[in-house]
Amino acid sequence: VRLVESGGGLVQAGGSLRLSCAVSVFTFEDYAIGWFREAPGKEREFVAAISRLTGVMTYYADSVKGRFTISRDNAKNTVNLQMNSLKFEDTAVYYCAARNNRATTAAREYEYWGQGTQVTVSS
């Protein structure tokens, strides 16, 4: 299982970015996908997750609820994270992760990880 993130970059506070996670696996719909982030000097933290199959269940950290939206496209083996109203404190490396099970907010439960994409929000 291989995951590749894209879409990171530099944006002003209040702006938007759309991250994508492309997953190379035959049975993509069987995998729950999570997004996590790691800021300098901080531990990796949960951002959002989406359930396997239809993705009917989504989960968000309180800090991003109402601003970020996670979605999946099983036809393209892709999960997107739409990030609006970005804040300086959203600056971090963002990682997507996959597990062949129910979605969870715990990073340790995810089996496969991408390399990360940098998001920098200028104040």
Side-chain angles (χ1 to χ4, degrees):
V1 180
R2 182 168 176 257
L3 295 88
V4 179
E5 301 95 338
S6 63
L10 174 65
V11 64
Q12 287 189 330
S16 298
L17 280 176
R18 182 181 176 90
L19 303 185
S20 292
C21 175
V23 184
S24 298
V25 67
F26 184 69
T27 55
F28 172 70
E29 60 271 17
D30 290 343
Y31 287 77
I33 305 295
W35 282 96
F36 296 81
R37 65 187 182 187
E38 191 170 322
K42 295 186 177 181
E43 293 186 354
R44 189 168 298 189
E45 65 173 359
F46 168 75
V47 175
I50 190 164
S51 61
R52 54 187 177 176
L53 302 178
T54 62
V56 64
M57 299 297 293
T58 56
Y59 308 86
Y60 297 94
D62 288 343
S63 59
V64 307
K65 203 170 293 184
R67 300 188 298 122
F68 290 11
T69 302
I70 189 171
S71 62
R72 68 186 297 153
D73 185 341
N74 289 342
K76 297 182 179 179
N77 281 26
T78 300
V79 170
N80 296 312
L81 184 68
Q82 178 66 41
M83 306 187 298
N84 298 328
S85 302
L86 282 162
K87 304 176 181 180
F88 175 75
E89 50 265 39
D90 293 319
T91 296
V93 177
Y94 283 70
Y95 300 89
C96 64
R99 72 188 300 252
N100 191 354
N101 209 316
R102 296 179 301 170
T104 174
T105 62
R108 65 181 181 276
E109 301 289 341
Y110 286 82
E111 303 154 284
Y112 308 99
W113 290 81
Q115 295 293 331
T117 185
Q118 176 71 48
V119 171
T120 303
V121 184
S122 61
S123 57

